[in-house]
Amino acid sequence: VPRDMVVKPPKEDVHGLRFFLKPRVHMGMISAIVDTTDEFLPSLSIVVFPNNQPNKPIVRHRFASASRLFTLSGKQVESMIGETYTMMLETNFSHGSGRNTTVRKVNFKVKPDALQHHFSFAYRSHPDFTTSATRV
């Protein structure tokens, strides 16, 4: 598909009509949810960064100020095509130092033919529970 295309229809076919064209946007989505209690939710965040630039996150979703569902879509996903990324679940629960601790990491690659990625995280700050990440 060409990036730019000039279309010039004959005047007799389109008299009085105006056309507005928008660039194509991939309809992909990257999403994640976290299964935890209300007590721990404010301490959790998701960070997404390119694998080759771990110190340059492209997004940070803090569950304290946003919803339990994290999503990227449209142009955000389109700009990620072809690269490999890491999604991390972090917590600052009961650490007191103001630093975040990585709970789970998941690597994924955004491909033009597979633009749907959904991740499910579980977090429990208790020795009897495990913390996990699932790619669905």
Side-chain angles (χ1 to χ4, degrees):
V1 177
R3 184 141 179 94
D4 297 312
M5 181 185 293
V6 176
V7 178
K8 206 169 188 183
K11 290 181 183 180
E12 59 273 3
D13 288 344
V14 293
H15 182 68
L17 297 179
R18 294 186 181 162
F19 292 91
F20 297 93
L21 302 176
K22 289 187 152 194
R24 186 176 128 210
V25 175
H26 288 281
M27 297 306 295
M29 178 179 281
I30 298 168
S31 60
I33 58 171
V34 63
D35 178 21
T36 191
T37 64
D38 290 341
E39 175 188 7
F40 301 127
L41 191 64
S43 71
L44 297 172
S45 59
I46 283 185
V47 181
V48 178
F49 57 85
N51 279 10
N52 61 353
Q53 296 178 321
N55 295 327
K56 294 188 178 183
I58 59 168
V59 67
R60 177 180 293 274
H61 178 84
R62 287 183 171 82
F63 290 103
S65 59
S67 74
R68 284 183 190 255
L69 176 66
F70 162 77
T71 61
L72 293 175
S73 61
K75 288 186 179 185
Q76 295 168 309
V77 175
E78 188 174 24
S79 67
M80 297 170 71
I81 292 175
E83 300 296 325
T84 302
Y85 291 86
T86 297
M87 181 181 291
M88 286 191 320
L89 178 66
E90 294 182 332
T91 184
N92 62 9
F93 186 74
S94 73
H95 293 294
S97 65
R99 295 179 52 205
N100 289 340
T101 302
T102 300
V103 177
R104 289 295 291 173
K105 283 186 186 182
V106 179
N107 293 321
F108 64 99
K109 184 168 185 163
V110 182
K111 299 178 183 178
D113 58 344
L115 294 174
Q116 304 293 329
H117 299 276
H118 179 73
F119 303 93
S120 179
F121 294 96
Y123 177 75
R124 304 283 188 271
S125 182
H126 189 279
D128 294 340
F129 296 108
T130 59
T131 301
S132 64
T134 306
R135 183 176 183 171
V136 217

